[in-house]
């Protein structure tokens, strides 16, 4: 507080003698307020570490106590225990808030733990525990709300994992006899991967991590279709995935996209050759296709990067 008063007095004096303009004084004041003191930064880091360690100790202690008494608890008591823990963790995450980077990371971790506790709560009350789709749906909803409140690395990973697993579980419940199961799973993975790439492109998700998850899921989807369905569908999906990710790479230059394009092209060409030519020259053609895709994408990206500054200068003029 005293430092702020001294700064205001100094800025007022400089304003009075004309050394600074009002805008410059406001800029200095804003920069001063946004600059974190080194001592405060260290204290924040230590406080964050202490919070994580304290939380880990509490979880371990609660686990030990409940493990000894778990069999004595009724199903209702177990559900209430997990439910209360989920509510407490989510409320604590809201209380911590997102005003600083440290608080945001801590709140994101609390929301993730709340999602896991919610899944456990519903799993206890779910009579059909062999397919706990409802439990994972509830956990997915909490993870999604938590990620909407604060976007963190851990929250992103957990949210994707929940959606990935929950979707496959839902398909297993809807198609219990397994008829055309692989076709639906492959289609779901392609839809999920495409959505994740799109949301990353729209900056709703973290770019590199989102493209990595989305591209990886797209590739897995093409392989599920190849091994379990008609070959024509899998080939078309590979062409679409490779083309779309290569085109998007030219716009955003994110390495997971070109990796997806090259990997899909390499594996797709090898699989096509193996099925049509009995594997003859499959490795060579796959390597050639991958190299051609990588070189072409790199050349186009470099050309696009050179052209953009020229367009920007023309617009400014």
């Amino acid at each position: 507080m005293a430092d702020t008063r001294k700064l205001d007095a100094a800025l007022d004096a400089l304003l009075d003698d004309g050394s600074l303009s009002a805008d410059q004084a406001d800029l200095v004041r804003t920069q001063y307020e946004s600059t974190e003191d080194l001592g405060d930064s260290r204290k924040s880091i230590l406080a964050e570490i202490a919070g994580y360690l304290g939380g880990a100790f509490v979880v371990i202690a609660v686990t030990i106590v409940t493990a000894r008494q778990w069999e004595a608890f009724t199903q209702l008591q177990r559900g209430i225990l997990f439910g209360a823990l989920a509510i407490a963790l989510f409320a604590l995450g809201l209380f911590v808030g997102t005003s600083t980077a440290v608080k945001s990371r801590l709140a994101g971790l609390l929301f993730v733990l709340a999602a896991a506790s919610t899944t456990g709560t519903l799993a206890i009350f779910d009579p059909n525990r062999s397919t706990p789709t409802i439990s994972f749906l509830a956990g997915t909803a909490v993870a999604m709300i938590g990620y909407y409140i604060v976007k963190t690395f851990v929250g992103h990973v957990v949210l994707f994992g929940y959606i990935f697993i929950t979707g496959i579980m839902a398909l297993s419940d809807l198609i219990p006899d397994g008829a055309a199961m692989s076709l639906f799973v492959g289609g779901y993975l392609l839809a999920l991967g495409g959505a994740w790439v799109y949301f990353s492109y729209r900056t709703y998700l973290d770019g590199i991590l989102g493209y990595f998850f989305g591209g990886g899921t797209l590739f897995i989807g093409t392989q599920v279709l190849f091994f379990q369905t008609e070959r024509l569908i899998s080939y078309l999906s590979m062409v679409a995935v490779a083309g779309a990710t290569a085109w998007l790479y030219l716009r955003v230059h994110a390495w997971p996209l070109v990796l997806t394009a090259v990997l899909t092209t390499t594996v797709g060409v090898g699989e096509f050759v193996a099925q049509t030519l009995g594997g003859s020259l499959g490795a060579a053609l796959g390597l050639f296709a991958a190299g051609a895709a990588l070189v072409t994408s790199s050349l186009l990206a470099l050309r696009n990067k050179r052209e953009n500054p020229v367009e920007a200068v023309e617009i400014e003029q």
Side-chain angles (χ1 to χ4, degrees):
M1 183 66 70
D3 292 339
T4 304
R5 290 176 180 175
K6 290 180 180 180
L7 176 65
D8 292 337
L11 292 176
D12 291 339
L14 292 173
L15 284 172
D16 292 338
D17 61 20
S19 299
L20 285 179
S21 65
D23 292 337
Q24 290 173 332
D26 291 338
L27 179 61
V28 172
R29 188 175 288 106
T30 302
Q31 183 63 32
Y32 177 82
E33 293 175 352
S34 62
T35 302
E36 188 176 19
D37 182 71
L38 181 59
D40 292 339
S41 178
R42 291 176 179 175
K43 291 179 182 178
S44 298
I45 295 174
L46 291 176
E48 183 179 7
I49 295 174
Y52 291 148
L53 289 176
F57 292 157
V58 170
V59 171
I60 293 173
V62 172
T63 302
I64 294 174
V65 173
T66 54
R68 294 177 179 176
Q69 303 295 329
W70 188 254
E71 296 299 330
F73 292 152
T74 64
Q75 184 181 22
L76 178 61
Q77 290 173 334
R78 295 173 184 175
I80 292 175
L81 179 63
F82 270 87
L85 181 61
I87 295 173
L89 289 170
F90 194 87
L92 186 58
L94 293 176
F95 176 77
V96 170
T98 60
S99 57
T100 64
V102 174
K103 290 183 178 180
S104 296
R105 290 193 294 268
L106 182 56
L109 180 60
L110 291 170
F111 290 140
V112 165
L113 295 176
S117 297
T118 301
T119 303
T121 302
L122 272 294
I124 292 174
F125 289 114
D126 185 11
N128 188 15
R129 298 183 185 179
S130 60
T131 54
T133 306
I134 297 177
S135 304
F136 274 84
L137 280 174
T140 301
V142 175
M144 188 176 298
I145 295 172
Y147 188 75
Y148 176 79
I149 296 173
V150 54
K151 295 178 174 60
T152 62
F153 174 85
V154 176
H156 189 167
V157 173
V158 172
L159 176 60
F160 178 81
Y162 260 110
I163 296 177
F164 187 96
I165 296 173
T166 303
I168 295 178
M169 283 185 174
L171 290 174
S172 299
D173 292 342
L174 295 174
I175 315 172
D177 57 352
M181 178 65 180
S182 57
L183 177 62
F184 287 100
V185 170
Y188 168 72
L189 294 179
L190 290 177
L192 176 60
W196 224 255
V197 170
Y198 173 77
F199 288 137
S200 300
Y201 175 71
R202 300 291 295 179
T203 67
Y204 297 132
L205 299 169
D206 176 67
I208 297 299
L209 187 61
Y211 289 134
F212 180 79
F213 282 149
T217 306
L218 287 172
F219 175 74
I220 294 173
T222 61
Q223 294 307 296
V224 171
L225 292 177
F226 176 79
F227 287 110
Q228 300 295 335
T229 62
E230 294 294 333
R231 294 289 184 260
L232 179 59
I233 298 177
S234 64
Y235 294 147
L236 292 177
S237 67
M238 291 179 191
V239 172
V241 168
T245 52
W247 174 82
L248 189 58
Y249 169 73
L250 299 178
R251 300 176 65 89
V252 298
H253 308 297
W255 65 265
L257 294 174
V258 72
L259 177 62
T260 302
V262 172
L263 185 61
T264 304
T265 302
T266 304
V267 176
V269 170
E271 291 171 342
F272 176 78
V273 172
Q275 292 297 317
T276 56
L277 302 179
S280 175
L281 301 178
L285 287 177
L287 184 61
F288 173 79
L294 182 59
V295 171
T296 303
S297 299
S298 300
L299 291 176
L300 291 175
L302 291 173
R303 178 184 176 185
N304 186 40
K305 192 173 183 180
R306 287 197 302 267
E307 291 178 350
N308 285 337
V310 176
E311 294 176 357
V313 172
E314 292 177 353
I315 292 174
E316 290 178 359
Q317 292 176 350

